[in-house]
Amino acid sequence: MSDTAPAAPQPIFTSDNTAGACEEIVRAVSAAAAGQDLPYGADRSTDGVRARFAEVFECDVDVLPVSTGSAANALSLAALTPPWGSVLCHRDSHINTDECGAPEFFTGGAKLVGLPGDDAKIDADQLRAAAGRKAGDVHSVQPSVVSITQATETGALYTLDEIRSLGLVAQDAGLRVHMDGARFANAVAALGCTPAELTWRAGVDVLSFGATKNGTMTADAVVVFDRTLTPELSFRAKRSGQLTSKMRFQSAQLDAYLTDGLWLRNAAHANAMAARLGDGLKALPGAELLHAVEANILFCRLPQPVVDRLLAEGFAFYHDRWGPGVCRFVTSFSTTEHDVDAFLTAVRRLTT
Amino acid sequence: MSDTAPAAPQPIFTSDNTAGACEEIVRAVSAAAAGQDLPYGADRSTDGVRARFAEVFECDVDVLPVSTGSAANALSLAALTPPWGSVLCHRDSHINTDECGAPEFFTGGAKLVGLPGDDAKIDADQLRAAAGRKAGDVHSVQPSVVSITQATETGALYTLDEIRSLGLVAQDAGLRVHMDGARFANAVAALGCTPAELTWRAGVDVLSFGATKNGTMTADAVVVFDRTLTPELSFRAKRSGQLTSKMRFQSAQLDAYLTDGLWLRNAAHANAMAARLGDGLKALPGAELLHAVEANILFCRLPQPVVDRLLAEGFAFYHDRWGPGVCRFVTSFSTTEHDVDAFLTAVRRLTT
Amino acid sequence: MSDTAPAAPQPIFTSDNTAGACEEIVRAVSAAAAGQDLPYGADRSTDGVRARFAEVFECDVDVLPVSTGSAANALSLAALTPPWGSVLCHRDSHINTDECGAPEFFTGGAKLVGLPGDDAKIDADQLRAAAGRKAGDVHSVQPSVVSITQATETGALYTLDEIRSLGLVAQDAGLRVHMDGARFANAVAALGCTPAELTWRAGVDVLSFGATKNGTMTADAVVVFDRTLTPELSFRAKRSGQLTSKMRFQSAQLDAYLTDGLWLRNAAHANAMAARLGDGLKALPGAELLHAVEANILFCRLPQPVVDRLLAEGFAFYHDRWGPGVCRFVTSFSTTEHDVDAFLTAVRRLTT
Amino acid sequence: MSDTAPAAPQPIFTSDNTAGACEEIVRAVSAAAAGQDLPYGADRSTDGVRARFAEVFECDVDVLPVSTGSAANALSLAALTPPWGSVLCHRDSHINTDECGAPEFFTGGAKLVGLPGDDAKIDADQLRAAAGRKAGDVHSVQPSVVSITQATETGALYTLDEIRSLGLVAQDAGLRVHMDGARFANAVAALGCTPAELTWRAGVDVLSFGATKNGTMTADAVVVFDRTLTPELSFRAKRSGQLTSKMRFQSAQLDAYLTDGLWLRNAAHANAMAARLGDGLKALPGAELLHAVEANILFCRLPQPVVDRLLAEGFAFYHDRWGPGVCRFVTSFSTTEHDVDAFLTAVRRLTT
């Protein structure tokens, strides 16, 4: 540690998974701990969660709490593709690059086909071409699902029209539609359209509903719009070790998360912190913002000595994966204005 | 509800998974919620957990937190058998009857071979015979692992000598040894031997360390004695959706669970409540205790009208799976003397 | 070799898979070798094979040639059960004991549930009980298929009524029906009922049609009565390495096999040779026939010294798997009266 | 058919899998049909096959006959990568594009990573980069195998030096090496180096030894240089339905194939026919040869009207997959000079 390093820990911008859990979630979990209740989702709170999701999504849905986003994605895909199917996704999507083959494992060996596209977004024309490739040819895996990440891995957003376009291509080609919503709340908060519009009304069959990055502890969920898939998903969830006996602890988190708009408040805050960071960086001569800030992820190029210095001072962010000086910053519900400003102050000091 | 049913909810004896979480765990989880920390086990608490397990088991171990006991079992078995192997287990074991094929899924299609035996305990001679069957024959799955449940699904305990015998048979036959310790704490508390004696010193390679039934919320763990298996287990855990980003919440639970003997206190209490229930029932003319009470599960035969009446009064327990009038009662850390006595009072009233 | 061992090789009765191929098959394969033709079943002969099967089974069927009976069974089961399903079968069935987990592998980890029953035959009541067990319970694999071996692994035959009964139980319970017909020809030849009666008219969805043991070289087939399964089976066959480019060589074998009743002539001959052997043994005081001879497999108890002596003289048969002195003899299309009589002569000499 | 179409069938150049079987193979199969013999590779001929391979490859090897090249590839890969591994291969390789996910199925869900490169050849630098990507990162599949196709899917050949370079990269990175030798004979015949040099001496662990395209009926083989893999491969072969009972019929083909250099004679002939075709086309003004002809596959651009006319006259070849007018021609052991010349005559007539 150099002598300029502050005593208090510096904020971490590597990912929104570095946040803890928000107060409302903690209180809900604590309250859920008391008393006896039935296991495996037969408890008093789990039914309420389903109703809560139905309200948020304006339709009957089924909900399977899971312990990770990878489990949500892999389970969803397994219910949407046969083992000889292919999953069309962006080549930089989390399912393709960061889940150690979980989709391949859960699906019994389906193939992920990575499509190109700016900002980790799938282009409708690319999807159309891929969806028709070798359809019906017994020598080839069969295009079966498209998986859309909203917000994307780079923090970009599909517009509602873009989602609808992908949905129509999928419909035409007979593909099922999965949405990886690890940061779904950030997308809803930023786009100002309804959860229903972004999902089932645009053709989404199953949603990986992320909550952990946005305030819960270890509770995410599979939200099922095509409810004919629910029995299969239930067996697959049990069989993959995802059916918890004390489901009440997941349900309590999800319930609190959806109560009184907590999920959208948290997400809006995270987005606002990214915007504040982006605005601050834009004003600095040495920093070059690489994209418009749409959700809670921001890419910026900084002079390498500045990067090195920031790291030495204890700020944490990813910086060595995208080219010289390109840094990624992720904000969360727990990021404070003080965190952002402390960072901006340091950059300003180092660049001017 | 009949007029004799009390206003307050009656205690549930169906399973120890109907309990909530104990106070120490709730406090630990709440404390873990504050501040930023690194994900995927790189946080400040996870390393401490490993040290805590090492201390409890008197040897270096690796620890993988998981969200369910099924995940712990299936992951462990997948690291211990090739897909063409067989897992020798009791035919009534949880892995064979209650996990919807999770072991088959995680292992890539290994075969579970159910062995007979009283009290859901594997007999050493049966194991020896099964271990040699078709070994080396390419037409048959190959005996690869023995899985021992301690305490068993019926609440019986293997003595230390019995565990050692099975370990020696396994060693002779070249089998790896897995222990399903969903109720490991109850066994340790009851037997008065050390965790080390019951596991690696007797030849156990990997332990499914249950905690959820005994006080935590949704945290169990795989404890790895043969640490050469850890890299494989780590990839398998990620790939099966078991690697949580906010592992601190699982680690906090496991840490508190092992601190100051909480796990053994909880288990001893559960065992004591079962003993109290057993002693009470033994004294009643209409009740017939079917086994000695060894841990926290108890089987008892009651006259069918008494069973019906108890259910009508709101007491909950399983009763229709083992023959006429045979009931199963499970106690937990949260069972109170009052719960037990209220139940005994009701039985006494109905049988005399 | 002792001095009483004859110069010519003694007949082998270990299995009907020790036979070569019959002349008609050899001629067909030789004829198929000439000229160019399209691959993967688009050749001139493959369509004819389908027609030939349709004629034999009196209905439209689809046919997938495969290289082994294990592949036929495992492919069929994979199309009939989800990974979380169970396959109800006799505990001594080939799929359960002799395929090294092929069904588990192809199905993605379904569970084989072995049922008891004399002569390796499934009892309808046992099936009914097993089919209802834990149906709908997410903690358990779900009964999905019954697999019937006709003729059984011990050479016994289900009567037509027995097959129909199993079919009705399956229908009531919502089970799909698979028939392992490794020795289907022997059953048809012996029972005198039609292939249609024994299969789809009794509820069979998919048949593993064995031919290799009865005269072909390496060609068996999956015969699909429920043709909605064919697309899935086709992808699964390709994906499991069973779609041959030069399918004409398999089709030529199957075509010849079904032409002019060759398959039934071969099977009738094998059955007759077993009957001759049985009749001969019955007449010998030292030999005890253990079952009526129904197809081409025969179990007989002989004095151990006689067994040892026969083996020393070069006769081959299995003898050490079923109890003291119990021997199994299997005849085939290539077994000659001379083979049988030579063996009987030896037994007579040794027992009298 | 137009009036210019000849009466006799025109030669097919779509693939070498349109050929039948060569005479020596037919004779060997016919001879193998007689008499009884032991099953599953315990027959008299199978041991001889192993010896024959050992001689050809100048080292002890194990040999598993299989029914298809897809089975050979998928089995080999399953023994070389764990389920969480990745297989580095050319993006146009057969395993990646034409096996309907067989490698994913057999490996339990490993990931195929397609690398770019001219002529379907993997570039050593690309391999080195891919081999190091995310090694040790639990979030990613782990580079485990490189699969090299020799000759490639476009008929190009790796030089011996190129194979050695890839082998060294693999060795440095800890990758295992698989060779897809569907057209291995064509490569050996063309390169003039020994089978040993092209395989184990360059670091190849397992070879998919193709024979079907070059004269056998349905017999290919896995040739195992790293013999520690043989037990695993044997169980996997059985379990995937590839262990034939009458293995003698495969062994007879493979034995004849390797006897007196038949395999290399056949391949040299196929290569010569491609060369003759190439030389002929080069001399025609309207035809543009797109690559040097290295083995038995040739790509050529022809005016679209000429393509249409050739097809109308009954010549068969692929033409609509690679851009306007680009046609692929494949020759085989059964292609005659007359076939080639008849085609050249037609092209000459249509282009001049």
Side-chain angles (χ1 to χ4, degrees):
Chain A
M1 276 296 169
S2 85
D3 57 350
T4 61
Q10 299 285 25
I12 306 177
F13 294 107
T14 52
S15 172
D16 32 8
N17 65 20
T18 60
C22 68
E23 274 180 46
E24 295 87 340
I25 300 295
V26 173
R27 278 199 300 272
V29 164
S30 300
Q36 284 190 290
D37 211 336
L38 296 182
Y40 300 117
D43 61 280
R44 288 180 295 263
S45 57
T46 296
D47 245 25
V49 167
R50 202 179 146 277
R52 190 85 64 187
F53 272 95
E55 192 184 356
V56 165
F57 283 93
E58 304 172 56
C59 72
D60 275 348
V61 294
D62 287 315
V63 180
L64 292 90
V66 291
S67 62
T68 62
S70 293
N73 287 336
L75 273 173
S76 300
L77 294 173
L80 293 171
T81 178
W84 58 92
S86 63
V87 177
L88 308 181
C89 57
H90 194 277
R91 63 185 171 198
D92 296 334
S93 61
H94 199 264
I95 58 171
N96 196 36
T97 65
D98 287 296
E99 299 188 346
C100 196
E104 287 87 346
F105 172 46
F106 279 63
T107 59
K111 200 177 190 83
L112 272 65
V113 174
L115 304 177
D118 290 342
D119 299 326
K121 288 162 70 175
I122 298 172
D123 176 81
D125 290 334
Q126 292 279 353
L127 178 62
R128 191 175 295 109
R133 211 162 285 146
K134 299 196 173 179
D137 174 356
V138 78
H139 299 275
S140 172
V141 289
Q142 296 296 296
S144 298
V145 198
V146 57
S147 179
I148 304 167
T149 309
Q150 173 78 317
T152 74
E153 285 76 8
T154 66
L157 295 174
Y158 289 93
T159 65
L160 183 50
D161 276 351
E162 286 172 334
I163 296 280
R164 285 173 176 156
S165 293
L166 295 179
L168 289 174
V169 172
Q171 190 176 14
D172 284 351
L175 301 180
R176 310 303 302 267
V177 183
H178 167 248
M179 181 171 279
D180 178 355
R183 295 186 179 95
F184 184 70
N186 301 89
V188 174
L191 286 170
C193 46
T194 70
E197 286 171 325
L198 273 181
T199 56
W200 62 275
R201 286 207 175 113
V204 174
D205 294 298
V206 183
L207 168 69
S208 294
F209 183 85
T212 297
K213 292 184 197 308
N214 191 37
T216 67
M217 294 172 175
T218 52
D220 296 303
V222 175
V223 178
V224 190
F225 302 111
D226 176 355
R227 295 173 67 203
T228 64
L229 299 169
T230 303
E232 170 167 352
L233 278 162
S234 302
F235 287 111
R236 288 192 182 274
K238 171 66 192 181
R239 179 177 178 74
S240 60
Q242 285 293 334
L243 182 64
T244 52
S245 59
K246 299 189 176 174
M247 197 186 284
R248 58 164 115 170
F249 289 109
Q250 295 170 301
S251 296
Q253 293 179 61
L254 293 169
D255 190 68
Y257 185 68
L258 292 183
T259 297
D260 294 337
L262 172 63
W263 69 300
L264 293 178
R265 273 204 317 283
N266 278 358
H269 175 81
N271 292 352
M273 289 304 100
R276 183 184 187 95
L277 182 58
D279 291 343
L281 289 168
K282 261 188 287 191
L284 298 178
E288 179 194 358
L289 213 56
L290 296 179
H291 304 277
V293 179
E294 298 188 280
N296 66 324
I297 304 181
L298 176 156
F299 286 82
C300 172
R301 185 176 289 117
L302 291 169
Q304 191 61 46
V306 174
V307 171
D308 295 341
R309 191 71 202 143
L310 288 165
L311 295 169
E313 294 189 10
F315 293 102
F317 50 88
Y318 287 119
H319 58 92
D320 51 1
R321 306 181 175 185
W322 306 276
V326 177
C327 305
R328 189 186 82 167
F329 302 92
V330 188
T331 56
S332 79
F333 74 92
S334 79
T335 306
T336 62
E337 294 190 358
H338 179 269
D339 292 338
V340 171
D341 295 347
F343 180 74
L344 287 171
T345 300
V347 179
R348 190 175 306 113
R349 173 168 41 80
L350 295 167
T351 53
T352 56
Chain B
M1 275 298 164
S2 85
D3 56 350
T4 60
Q10 298 285 25
I12 306 176
F13 294 106
T14 51
S15 172
D16 32 8
N17 64 20
T18 61
C22 68
E23 274 180 47
E24 294 87 339
I25 301 295
V26 173
R27 278 201 300 272
V29 164
S30 300
Q36 284 190 290
D37 210 337
L38 295 182
Y40 300 117
D43 60 280
R44 288 179 294 263
S45 56
T46 296
D47 243 26
V49 167
R50 202 178 146 278
R52 188 86 64 189
F53 272 95
E55 191 184 357
V56 165
F57 282 94
E58 304 173 55
C59 70
D60 275 347
V61 294
D62 288 314
V63 180
L64 292 91
V66 291
S67 62
T68 64
S70 292
N73 287 336
L75 273 174
S76 300
L77 294 172
L80 292 171
T81 178
W84 58 92
S86 64
V87 178
L88 308 180
C89 57
H90 194 277
R91 63 184 172 199
D92 297 333
S93 61
H94 199 265
I95 58 171
N96 196 36
T97 65
D98 288 296
E99 299 187 346
C100 196
E104 287 87 345
F105 173 44
F106 279 63
T107 59
K111 201 178 189 82
L112 272 65
V113 174
L115 304 177
D118 291 342
D119 299 327
K121 288 162 69 175
I122 298 171
D123 176 80
D125 290 334
Q126 291 279 353
L127 178 62
R128 189 175 296 109
R133 212 163 283 146
K134 299 196 175 181
D137 175 356
V138 77
H139 299 276
S140 172
V141 289
Q142 295 297 295
S144 299
V145 197
V146 56
S147 178
I148 304 166
T149 310
Q150 173 79 314
T152 76
E153 286 75 10
T154 67
L157 294 174
Y158 289 92
T159 65
L160 183 49
D161 276 351
E162 287 172 333
I163 296 280
R164 285 172 177 158
S165 294
L166 295 179
L168 289 174
V169 172
Q171 189 175 15
D172 284 352
L175 301 180
R176 310 304 301 265
V177 183
H178 168 246
M179 181 171 280
D180 179 355
R183 295 185 179 95
F184 184 71
N186 302 88
V188 174
L191 286 170
C193 45
T194 68
E197 284 171 327
L198 274 180
T199 56
W200 62 275
R201 286 206 176 113
V204 174
D205 294 299
V206 183
L207 169 69
S208 293
F209 182 84
T212 297
K213 292 182 198 307
N214 192 37
T216 67
M217 295 173 174
T218 52
D220 295 304
V222 175
V223 178
V224 191
F225 303 111
D226 176 354
R227 296 174 66 203
T228 63
L229 299 169
T230 303
E232 170 167 351
L233 278 162
S234 301
F235 287 111
R236 288 191 181 274
K238 170 67 192 181
R239 179 175 177 75
S240 60
Q242 286 291 336
L243 181 64
T244 52
S245 59
K246 299 189 176 173
M247 196 185 284
R248 59 164 116 169
F249 289 109
Q250 296 170 300
S251 296
Q253 292 179 64
L254 294 169
D255 189 67
Y257 185 68
L258 293 182
T259 297
D260 294 336
L262 172 63
W263 70 300
L264 293 178
R265 273 204 317 282
N266 278 359
H269 175 81
N271 293 352
M273 290 304 99
R276 183 183 186 95
L277 181 58
D279 290 343
L281 289 168
K282 260 187 287 192
L284 298 177
E288 180 196 357
L289 213 57
L290 296 179
H291 304 276
V293 179
E294 298 188 279
N296 66 324
I297 303 181
L298 175 157
F299 285 82
C300 172
R301 185 176 288 118
L302 293 168
Q304 191 61 46
V306 174
V307 171
D308 295 341
R309 191 71 202 141
L310 288 165
L311 295 168
E313 294 189 11
F315 294 101
F317 50 90
Y318 286 119
H319 58 92
D320 51 1
R321 306 182 174 184
W322 306 275
V326 177
C327 305
R328 189 187 81 166
F329 302 92
V330 188
T331 56
S332 79
F333 73 93
S334 78
T335 306
T336 62
E337 294 190 358
H338 179 269
D339 292 337
V340 171
D341 295 348
F343 181 74
L344 287 171
T345 300
V347 179
R348 190 175 304 114
R349 171 167 42 81
L350 295 167
T351 53
T352 56
Chain C
M1 277 294 170
S2 87
D3 56 350
T4 61
Q10 298 285 25
I12 306 175
F13 294 106
T14 51
S15 171
D16 32 8
N17 65 21
T18 61
C22 68
E23 273 180 47
E24 294 87 341
I25 301 295
V26 173
R27 277 200 301 272
V29 164
S30 300
Q36 283 190 291
D37 211 337
L38 296 182
Y40 299 118
D43 60 280
R44 288 178 296 262
S45 58
T46 296
D47 244 25
V49 166
R50 200 177 148 279
R52 189 85 64 187
F53 272 95
E55 191 184 356
V56 165
F57 283 93
E58 304 171 54
C59 72
D60 275 347
V61 294
D62 288 315
V63 180
L64 292 91
V66 291
S67 62
T68 63
S70 292
N73 287 336
L75 273 173
S76 300
L77 295 172
L80 293 171
T81 179
W84 58 92
S86 64
V87 177
L88 309 180
C89 58
H90 195 277
R91 63 184 171 198
D92 297 333
S93 62
H94 199 264
I95 59 171
N96 196 35
T97 65
D98 288 294
E99 299 187 345
C100 196
E104 287 87 346
F105 172 45
F106 279 63
T107 59
K111 200 177 190 82
L112 272 65
V113 174
L115 305 176
D118 290 342
D119 299 327
K121 287 163 69 176
I122 298 171
D123 176 81
D125 290 334
Q126 292 279 353
L127 178 62
R128 190 176 294 109
R133 211 163 284 148
K134 299 197 174 180
D137 175 356
V138 77
H139 299 277
S140 172
V141 289
Q142 296 295 295
S144 299
V145 198
V146 56
S147 179
I148 305 166
T149 310
Q150 174 78 316
T152 75
E153 286 75 8
T154 67
L157 294 174
Y158 289 93
T159 66
L160 183 50
D161 277 351
E162 287 171 333
I163 297 280
R164 284 172 177 156
S165 294
L166 295 179
L168 289 174
V169 172
Q171 190 176 15
D172 285 351
L175 301 180
R176 310 302 303 267
V177 184
H178 168 248
M179 182 171 280
D180 179 354
R183 294 186 180 94
F184 185 71
N186 301 89
V188 174
L191 287 169
C193 46
T194 68
E197 286 172 326
L198 274 181
T199 56
W200 63 275
R201 286 209 176 109
V204 173
D205 294 298
V206 182
L207 168 69
S208 294
F209 183 84
T212 297
K213 292 184 199 306
N214 191 37
T216 66
M217 295 172 175
T218 51
D220 296 304
V222 175
V223 178
V224 190
F225 302 111
D226 176 355
R227 295 174 67 203
T228 63
L229 300 169
T230 303
E232 169 166 352
L233 278 162
S234 301
F235 287 112
R236 287 192 184 274
K238 171 67 192 180
R239 180 176 177 72
S240 60
Q242 285 292 336
L243 181 65
T244 51
S245 58
K246 299 190 177 174
M247 197 185 283
R248 60 164 114 169
F249 290 108
Q250 295 170 302
S251 296
Q253 293 179 62
L254 293 169
D255 189 67
Y257 185 67
L258 292 182
T259 297
D260 294 336
L262 172 63
W263 69 300
L264 293 177
R265 272 203 319 281
N266 278 359
H269 174 82
N271 292 353
M273 291 302 99
R276 183 183 188 95
L277 182 57
D279 290 343
L281 289 167
K282 261 188 287 192
L284 298 177
E288 180 194 358
L289 213 57
L290 296 179
H291 305 277
V293 179
E294 298 188 279
N296 66 323
I297 303 181
L298 177 157
F299 286 82
C300 173
R301 185 176 288 117
L302 292 169
Q304 191 61 46
V306 173
V307 171
D308 295 342
R309 191 70 203 141
L310 288 165
L311 295 168
E313 292 190 11
F315 295 101
F317 48 89
Y318 286 119
H319 57 93
D320 51 1
R321 305 182 175 184
W322 306 276
V326 177
C327 305
R328 189 186 82 167
F329 303 91
V330 189
T331 56
S332 79
F333 73 92
S334 79
T335 306
T336 63
E337 295 190 0
H338 179 270
D339 292 339
V340 171
D341 295 348
F343 181 75
L344 288 171
T345 301
V347 179
R348 190 175 306 115
R349 171 166 43 81
L350 295 166
T351 53
T352 55
Chain D
M1 274 296 168
S2 85
D3 57 351
T4 60
Q10 298 285 25
I12 306 176
F13 294 106
T14 51
S15 171
D16 32 8
N17 65 20
T18 61
C22 66
E23 274 180 47
E24 294 87 340
I25 301 295
V26 174
R27 277 201 300 273
V29 164
S30 300
Q36 284 191 291
D37 211 337
L38 295 182
Y40 299 117
D43 61 279
R44 289 178 295 262
S45 56
T46 296
D47 245 26
V49 167
R50 202 178 145 277
R52 189 87 63 188
F53 273 95
E55 191 184 356
V56 165
F57 283 93
E58 303 172 55
C59 71
D60 274 347
V61 295
D62 287 316
V63 180
L64 291 90
V66 291
S67 63
T68 62
S70 292
N73 286 337
L75 273 173
S76 300
L77 294 172
L80 293 171
T81 177
W84 58 91
S86 64
V87 177
L88 308 181
C89 57
H90 194 276
R91 63 184 173 198
D92 297 332
S93 62
H94 198 265
I95 58 172
N96 196 36
T97 66
D98 288 295
E99 300 188 345
C100 195
E104 286 88 345
F105 173 45
F106 279 64
T107 59
K111 201 178 190 81
L112 272 64
V113 174
L115 305 177
D118 291 342
D119 299 327
K121 288 162 69 175
I122 298 171
D123 176 81
D125 290 334
Q126 292 279 354
L127 178 63
R128 190 175 295 109
R133 211 163 284 146
K134 299 196 175 181
D137 174 355
V138 78
H139 299 276
S140 172
V141 289
Q142 296 296 297
S144 298
V145 198
V146 56
S147 179
I148 304 166
T149 310
Q150 173 80 315
T152 75
E153 286 75 10
T154 66
L157 295 174
Y158 289 92
T159 64
L160 183 50
D161 276 352
E162 286 171 333
I163 296 280
R164 284 173 177 157
S165 293
L166 295 179
L168 289 174
V169 172
Q171 189 175 15
D172 284 351
L175 301 180
R176 309 304 301 266
V177 184
H178 168 248
M179 182 172 280
D180 179 353
R183 295 187 179 94
F184 185 70
N186 301 90
V188 174
L191 286 170
C193 46
T194 69
E197 284 171 327
L198 273 181
T199 57
W200 62 275
R201 286 210 175 109
V204 174
D205 293 300
V206 182
L207 168 69
S208 293
F209 183 84
T212 297
K213 292 185 200 306
N214 191 37
T216 67
M217 295 174 175
T218 52
D220 296 304
V222 175
V223 178
V224 191
F225 302 111
D226 175 355
R227 296 174 66 202
T228 63
L229 300 168
T230 303
E232 170 166 352
L233 278 162
S234 301
F235 287 111
R236 288 191 182 275
K238 171 67 193 179
R239 179 178 178 72
S240 60
Q242 285 293 336
L243 182 64
T244 53
S245 58
K246 298 189 177 173
M247 195 185 285
R248 58 164 116 169
F249 289 108
Q250 296 171 300
S251 296
Q253 292 179 62
L254 293 169
D255 189 68
Y257 185 67
L258 293 182
T259 296
D260 294 337
L262 172 63
W263 69 301
L264 293 178
R265 271 204 318 281
N266 278 359
H269 175 81
N271 292 353
M273 290 303 99
R276 182 184 187 95
L277 182 57
D279 290 343
L281 289 168
K282 261 187 289 191
L284 297 178
E288 179 194 358
L289 212 57
L290 296 179
H291 304 277
V293 179
E294 298 188 279
N296 66 323
I297 304 181
L298 175 157
F299 285 83
C300 173
R301 186 175 287 118
L302 291 169
Q304 191 62 44
V306 173
V307 171
D308 295 341
R309 191 71 202 141
L310 287 165
L311 296 168
E313 293 189 12
F315 293 101
F317 49 89
Y318 287 119
H319 57 93
D320 51 2
R321 305 181 175 185
W322 305 276
V326 177
C327 304
R328 188 187 81 168
F329 302 92
V330 188
T331 56
S332 80
F333 73 92
S334 79
T335 306
T336 62
E337 294 190 358
H338 179 267
D339 291 339
V340 172
D341 295 347
F343 181 74
L344 287 171
T345 300
V347 179
R348 191 175 305 116
R349 171 167 42 82
L350 294 167
T351 52
T352 55

